[in-house]
Amino acid sequence: MRIGELAERAGTTTRTLRYYESRGLLPARRGDNGYRTYDEDDLRLLRQIRTLQDFGFDLEETRPFVECLRAGHPQGDACPASLAVYRRKLGELDTLIDELRSVRAQVGEQLTRAERAMDELAAEAAVPGGPEPACAVFPRETAPGDPAEKTGRRTR
């Protein structure tokens, strides 16, 4: 098959295929007419690369999987180098998950603090003679014809 058909079947572009070829991930075979030619094995390589990239692997991390397929294995992850990449990626993902949990906890603490502060402001505003609320959370009463009626803001 030619490059356009391979790109279509793999769900990518011819530009991407040429890039993979320049990086040594896709073979650069040419027919007698000078056109690039590909076969079903090349489509398998591309599907392996695309799947790994969908999982967040960078292009260079796909290389051991491609080499494993090229060596004749039925699956790209049937080789020790591929397993090492999986292990390394899992470690990276675990680190990211831990970092995200930490950030989530911090955001949760900030939300709790902000809600407490808002509740305190609301309580102070409910006391006669207390401070007048200054944010949209506590809408002010407006009289008909008051300029604030249209904008939602009071003028001073």
Side-chain angles (χ1 to χ4, degrees):
M1 77 185 90
R2 294 199 349 211
I3 193 168
E5 182 183 349
L6 180 63
E8 186 176 325
R9 289 184 63 191
T12 191
T13 65
T14 57
R15 183 178 180 190
T16 298
L17 298 183
R18 287 184 195 101
Y19 178 69
Y20 291 171
E21 181 183 310
S22 74
R23 299 294 307 258
L25 293 169
L26 194 60
R29 292 185 304 270
R30 298 214 181 239
D32 293 338
N33 57 9
Y35 292 125
R36 290 173 172 88
T37 61
Y38 302 96
D39 58 23
E40 293 299 317
D41 288 338
D42 298 322
L43 182 58
R44 263 186 0 151
L45 291 176
L46 284 173
R47 287 186 174 149
Q48 178 76 77
I49 292 168
R50 304 293 291 176
T51 298
L52 292 168
Q53 286 190 309
D54 287 347
F55 292 159
F57 288 63
D58 67 35
L59 192 56
E60 197 55 38
E61 288 174 317
T62 69
R63 188 172 300 280
F65 298 86
V66 169
E67 290 171 357
C68 191
L69 285 171
R70 280 190 185 153
H73 294 278
Q75 300 295 323
D77 56 8
C79 297
S82 302
L83 298 176
V85 173
Y86 275 154
R87 287 184 191 100
R88 186 171 51 250
K89 184 56 81 176
L90 281 174
E92 290 172 12
L93 291 170
D94 288 341
T95 298
L96 287 172
I97 289 168
D98 291 345
E99 290 172 5
L100 286 172
R101 282 190 178 123
S102 174
V103 169
R104 187 189 189 291
Q106 292 172 22
V107 169
E109 290 169 8
Q110 287 294 103
L111 174 61
T112 300
R113 183 204 50 76
E115 288 173 336
R116 229 180 282 122
M118 189 177 75
D119 290 346
E120 290 170 9
L121 282 174
E124 289 174 9
V127 175
E132 194 171 324
C135 69
V137 174
F138 307 109
R140 297 184 175 129
E141 296 295 321
T142 57
D146 185 336
E149 182 180 37
K150 291 181 185 164
T151 63
R153 295 187 201 162
R154 294 186 55 91
T155 56
R156 294 199 182 228

